[in-house]
Amino acid sequence: MKNHLEQLRTQTLETIAKAKTVQELEALEAQLLGKKGELTTLLKGIKDLTVEEKQVVGKMTNELKKDVEAALLCRSEELRSSQYDHLKDQFFDTSLPGTRPHPGRLHPLTKFIREIEDTFMALNFTVAEGPEIEDDYHNFSALNIPEDHPARDMQDTLWAKHIPYLLRTHTSPVQIRYMESHEPPIRIICPGRVFRKDDVDATHSPMFHQFEGLMVDKTTNLTHLKGILTIALRRLIHPDLELRFRSSFFPFVEPGLEVDVTCVLCAGKGCSVCKQSGWLEMLGCGMVHPNVLKSAGLDPNVYQGFAFGAGIERLLMIKHKINDIRLFYENDPRFLEQFPLV
Ligand code: PHE
């Protein structure tokens, strides 16, 4: 019996030391010390021994159990600490930032159009829309631009081939459509796409966005135009913006005006962008021409109003000091990511 125990001890300790994985060790433990384990059975048998046998064999068996437990624990620690050995030479910097997924976001133009709508809605304007494919009448004739009028040369038009339609060259036809179907008082803005036969460069694109503004009532006048544009542009571009109204010509307004704003790059001090003038051209506007009111079915002796039309890309370019309009259409994430997510 003594010999058997000695043999068992040597064998068991050797097998434990040779165990290669934690799982192997766990199986071994069950085999030795589990309910029906080899050692458990031996320990259970002690009670059947004679007193003398108990003294020797019992003691030895108990010692063996203790040693086996210690050996199991020791080997298990060895195995656990070495299971990541193969990673030792792979340095892993836990302070490195992870790779983030690129979440989708609204295009800066879409976002700005919403800001424009919010700004004018707060001033009691509603948002109106018109078709991008227009007829000659709404794009030109009703806007006091007759067929042989030189003003038609001002905009290079994209005409449809076999039908009498064109891609609208400005958002002004929406003025006509809205007045045809609504009674004053009218307060609308109409953002949307417009098209011109322009070659692409840093400031031109055959497609870009404009927003039209129209306010018509019995006493609407230039001070309303000035007040509303000042409030809106300060909110949309910069709170310290100054506006300068210069007389200009558009066939559909009389008087016609152009609005300049303080150059945001030099704060009005003069730089290469504003050609040292301190001012940047921003939009066209004026009092709706009586012929335009008449075309839309309104009596110019009763109603008067103002209109303005602005390029949305141009506004955003001024606001964010963007020097190339093409950036808006290329969808380069490096450009888009510079705008806030929401
Ligand atoms: N429709 C003009 C343009 O596209 C802008 C404008 C609108 C000017 C309304 C005056 C009044 O250039």
Side-chain angles (χ1 to χ4, degrees):
M1 186 66 186
K2 262 176 79 179
N3 278 351
H4 173 65
L5 281 175
E6 281 300 339
Q7 214 181 330
L8 185 63
R9 164 189 213 95
T10 334
Q11 238 181 38
T12 312
L13 295 181
E14 218 170 272
T15 332
I16 292 174
K18 275 188 197 150
K20 284 201 181 60
T21 63
V22 176
Q23 288 83 347
E24 206 179 304
L25 204 65
E26 276 165 3
L28 212 53
E29 185 170 1
Q31 194 190 316
L32 291 162
L33 298 166
K35 256 190 187 165
K36 290 194 175 129
E38 231 171 308
L39 267 175
T40 318
T41 321
L42 273 179
L43 285 161
K44 272 187 198 157
I46 292 177
K47 66 178 191 319
D48 304 324
L49 300 174
T50 61
V51 182
E52 297 79 56
E53 279 173 330
K54 267 188 196 163
Q55 269 186 357
V56 186
V57 179
K59 197 172 163 225
M60 270 180 81
T61 318
N62 274 316
E63 268 168 14
L64 176 58
K65 188 195 174 207
K66 258 193 227 155
D67 290 350
V68 165
E69 280 172 345
L72 282 169
L73 188 69
C74 171
R75 185 65 188 147
S76 132
E77 264 160 26
E78 270 172 26
L79 285 176
R80 279 179 215 281
S81 70
S82 65
Q83 68 181 326
Y84 297 115
D85 276 1
H86 63 290
L87 293 177
K88 266 189 188 144
D89 39 329
Q90 290 181 24
F91 175 69
F92 178 65
D93 184 352
T94 50
S95 68
L96 279 177
T99 33
R100 284 170 201 269
H102 287 259
R105 62 180 68 213
L106 291 180
H107 190 277
L109 277 172
T110 310
K111 263 196 60 193
F112 195 53
I113 289 173
R114 293 191 183 176
E115 274 172 50
I116 292 170
E117 291 173 352
D118 288 346
T119 303
F120 280 93
M121 270 161 25
L123 293 166
N124 243 343
F125 281 66
T126 52
V127 179
E129 281 184 348
E132 289 171 5
I133 298 170
E134 261 300 359
D135 50 40
D136 179 293
Y137 176 75
H138 288 92
N139 198 80
F140 294 124
S141 307
L143 285 162
N144 200 35
I145 316 175
E147 232 152 83
D148 56 350
H149 196 288
R152 290 211 181 195
D153 297 336
M154 277 165 60
Q155 293 153 348
D156 263 357
T157 307
L158 287 154
W159 291 90
K161 246 186 186 156
H162 305 296
I163 41 169
Y165 291 101
L166 51 92
L167 291 177
R168 67 177 178 195
T169 58
H170 50 179
T171 42
S172 300
V174 189
Q175 288 184 37
I176 305 294
R177 292 189 175 275
Y178 198 87
M179 286 190 282
E180 280 172 347
S181 54
H182 294 79
E183 287 291 314
I186 290 169
R187 281 174 179 235
I188 51 159
I189 54 151
C190 338
R193 279 192 282 203
V194 300
F195 308 84
R196 293 184 190 176
K197 216 195 263 162
D198 274 331
D199 288 332
V200 178
D201 65 22
T203 51
H204 294 89
S205 160
M207 186 285 296
F208 61 99
H209 297 74
Q210 278 192 338
F211 70 102
E212 195 81 7
L214 175 70
M215 178 164 161
V216 180
D217 206 343
K218 289 182 176 148
T219 56
T220 308
N221 59 54
L222 274 181
T223 59
H224 297 132
L225 170 66
K226 207 172 166 183
I228 281 176
L229 277 181
T230 307
I231 291 171
L233 292 179
R234 281 189 183 157
R235 178 157 163 199
L236 287 167
I237 298 175
H238 196 286
D240 300 332
L241 210 67
E242 289 296 332
L243 275 64
R244 180 170 83 168
F245 289 75
R246 254 182 314 108
S247 75
S248 182
F249 175 76
F250 302 93
F252 32 92
V253 282
E254 182 55 40
L257 304 159
E258 258 175 274
V259 175
D260 297 338
V261 296
T262 2
C263 176
V264 289
L265 286 119
C266 61
K269 289 184 195 79
C271 66
S272 62
V273 174
C274 61
K275 299 190 186 83
Q276 309 307 327
S277 72
W279 296 96
L280 293 171
E281 279 176 31
M282 173 115 278
L283 55 85
C285 57
M287 294 301 292
V288 181
H289 196 289
N291 289 349
V292 174
L293 292 170
K294 257 189 254 168
S295 308
L298 296 182
D299 183 350
N301 295 315
V302 179
Y303 294 114
Q304 55 188 47
F306 69 71
F308 59 84
I312 297 181
E313 282 86 343
R314 179 161 172 82
L315 251 75
L316 259 186
M317 285 167 82
I318 289 176
K319 176 171 179 163
H320 294 298
K321 309 176 175 69
I322 297 165
N323 59 8
D324 198 319
I325 194 170
R326 287 167 287 201
L327 288 164
F328 288 115
Y329 316 120
E330 282 162 358
N331 285 331
D332 186 331
R334 290 168 300 182
F335 173 69
L336 299 178
E337 274 165 12
Q338 294 178 47
F339 295 87
L341 206 51
V342 279

